[in-house]
Amino acid sequence: MTSTVPALGTRTAEGSALQAVLLDMDGTLVDTEGFWWDAEVEVFAALGHRLDEAWRDVVVGGPMTRSARFLIESTGADITVPELTVLLNDGFEHRIGRALPLMPGAARLLAELAAHEVPMALVSASHRRIIDRVLESIGAHHFTLTVAGDEVTRTKPHPDPYLLAAAGVGAQPARCAVIEDTATGVAAAEAAGCHVVAVPSVAPIAPASGRTIVPSLEHVNLPFLQGLMAEKR
């Protein structure tokens, strides 16, 4: 299936193979991708460099080290990756308060999955310090576990974070639905063997066989995910 949106409310749990739902954080559940870019622009302005808006599509959804390395190489800034990582995390954390804006449909989807006792894991390329702050708005109680980008040897686009999350909730990757907003995250989930629902935020995600693309989380509910899994079988 490519770029297909199953009709809402028409799927049932009958024959569903869904064991767990694994969700990305930035741009998927919380509207924070703009905060990251603003932090990057501000940090590099202080270093005497102006970022090209086109680079935003390159760094979105990527692991911190990859994004930092790309921006250093592109600007020639005199700063190391570890130093820049600290500054970017500080800049992002400065921008977020206790009430972050959730993406449309996020609160409803989390509540629905929790009400039906569907195991959920949060899988992010952001560092633990950032995830713990954002969870104050999302609600840590929704998740069986959370996986941070600085807690795995290889983060997205490698499959490791999603393999770790699936194992942590006791599910087979092939029976997990992953919800992602970037090509990097989609690549990680597909490499792990999970079924992906892509909800593009900043940059478009190309259609591909076996990939479902929807315009927002308002198009995703439990029957939708169950029907998607049953269809894949």
Side-chain angles (χ1 to χ4, degrees), residues 27-230:
T28 298
L29 291 178
V30 285
D31 191 7
T32 51
E33 294 292 12
F35 292 170
W36 281 113
W37 180 248
D38 290 345
E40 289 158 352
V41 168
E42 180 180 76
V43 167
F44 276 89
L47 294 170
H49 298 276
R50 181 176 181 177
L51 300 188
D52 189 322
E53 184 72 22
W55 296 343
R56 185 174 181 178
D57 288 356
V58 179
V59 299
V60 66
M64 177 71 72
T65 53
R66 188 193 73 182
S67 298
R69 189 174 298 109
F70 170 83
L71 292 174
I72 291 172
E73 292 175 352
S74 298
T75 60
D78 184 18
I79 190 172
T80 66
V81 169
E83 290 170 340
L84 180 56
T85 295
V86 172
L87 292 178
L88 293 179
N89 278 324
D90 288 346
F92 178 83
E93 200 165 2
H94 177 71
R95 283 169 167 73
I96 61 177
R98 287 190 169 272
L100 280 170
L102 269 63
M103 298 299 285
R108 187 265 314 151
L109 177 61
L110 291 175
E112 179 183 5
L113 295 175
H116 288 84
E117 299 182 343
V118 177
M120 287 181 279
L122 187 70
V123 184
S124 176
S126 291
H127 289 187
R128 171 55 56 186
R129 61 178 281 198
I130 299 300
I131 288 180
D132 287 345
R133 282 291 308 277
V134 174
L135 281 172
E136 295 173 8
S137 293
I138 301 176
H141 62 281
H142 288 116
F143 305 101
T144 303
L145 83 160
T146 60
V147 178
D150 57 340
E151 295 174 341
V152 291
T153 302
R154 302 189 309 170
T155 187
K156 304 173 187 178
H158 298 287
D160 307 36
Y162 281 111
L163 293 174
L164 179 63
V169 298
Q172 302 170 26
R175 297 181 66 178
C176 292
V178 168
I179 303 178
E180 273 279 2
D181 75 304
T182 67
T184 298
V186 167
E190 290 180 342
C194 302
H195 298 292
V196 180
V197 176
V199 190
S201 59
V202 174
I205 295 175
S209 177
R211 181 182 301 170
T212 300
I213 303 176
V214 298
S216 81
L217 290 180
E218 293 179 315
H219 292 261
V220 182
N221 60 11
L222 180 54
F224 173 98
L225 296 173
Q226 290 171 325
L228 178 67
M229 299 297 292

